[in-house]
Amino acid sequence: EKRMSEIRKRSMQRILLLGTALMFGLIILSPFLTNVFQLSSYLSIPLLAFYILALFPLLVNRAILNGLQQFIPVSLSSFIDQVFRFGFLLLFIVLFHWRINGASFAIGLAAWVAFIYSQQQIKKLSLPKQKSAGLFRLRSLIPGVWIVLWFTIATQFFFNADMLLVKFFFSPEDAG
């Protein structure tokens, strides 16, 4: 438990760098991706990049809470993510008529709300600070991290693959 604060700090820094790099990569590739997925707006991909930036730190927080066996905050974080996603979708699509941009923004905003909630739950735990950063090497976690990372990527791909295939192969009228 003494190592948790240092692990969290170092992993959060690296995850934020990775998330920022992916966000800028998506922004740069947004014209290409908009054409590939036949989206009606060039703004929807950068708005989803906003989601990517929130997703990685959220996953770190959920992993820490899971590791500390704080299952109620993890479950509430997931629940808050879904409830706010639904609420923001209603707000941005139904009330404001922002269509796909509203959906993209709603997903990103809901992830940020869940991240803020998980961040507050971790602060309540008051994790001890490590006195010497030299006692722990982050590299010792890499084998386990790669397995979790690839499993998470594969799971998310399979959850979303059907939507991407339908969007790619069918006209917007047929895809809905």
Side-chain angles (χ1 to χ4, degrees):
E1 223 176 278
K2 292 179 181 180
R3 297 179 179 176
M4 289 305 294
S5 181
E6 182 65 24
I7 292 171
R8 183 174 167 272
K9 179 182 171 187
R10 291 174 68 186
S11 62
M12 194 65 77
Q13 288 171 345
R14 292 181 182 182
I15 287 295
L16 282 174
L17 284 174
L18 177 65
T20 304
L22 284 173
M23 183 185 81
F24 283 121
L26 279 174
I27 290 171
I28 290 168
L29 292 174
S30 65
F32 171 74
L33 293 173
T34 301
N35 290 332
V36 167
F37 295 119
Q38 302 170 358
L39 300 174
S40 60
S41 173
Y42 286 101
L43 190 58
S44 55
I45 298 292
L47 287 173
L48 280 176
F50 176 66
Y51 168 69
I52 296 290
L53 188 61
L55 180 66
F56 286 119
L58 175 61
L59 291 175
V60 169
N61 284 351
R62 285 181 181 167
I64 289 171
L65 290 169
N66 265 328
L68 295 173
Q69 296 180 352
Q70 298 290 318
F71 301 120
I72 292 174
V74 171
S75 300
L76 284 175
S77 172
S78 297
F79 181 74
I80 285 171
D81 186 16
Q82 297 305 314
V83 167
F84 273 88
R85 184 179 295 185
F86 181 71
F88 288 143
L89 283 170
L90 287 177
L91 180 70
F92 297 138
I93 294 174
V94 176
L95 294 177
F96 294 154
H97 303 288
W98 289 356
R99 299 172 34 176
I100 194 158
N101 291 337
S104 299
F105 188 59
I107 290 170
L109 202 54
W112 279 102
V113 171
F115 168 71
I116 291 168
Y117 172 77
S118 67
Q119 190 76 11
Q120 294 303 317
Q121 295 305 309
I122 288 176
K123 284 183 181 179
K124 285 182 183 177
L125 295 175
S126 64
L127 298 174
K129 300 225 182 265
Q130 185 177 355
K131 293 180 182 174
S132 172
L135 296 177
F136 177 73
R137 302 272 314 165
L138 196 58
R139 293 185 193 271
S140 64
L141 294 176
I142 289 178
V145 168
W146 282 113
I147 293 169
V148 171
L149 175 66
W150 289 114
F151 180 76
T152 303
I153 289 171
T155 304
Q156 290 300 316
F157 173 76
F158 288 117
F159 280 145
N160 297 310
D162 58 343
M163 178 187 63
L164 294 174
L165 290 173
V166 167
K167 190 72 176 160
F168 183 74
F169 288 109
F170 295 99
S171 69
E173 294 81 22
D174 293 336

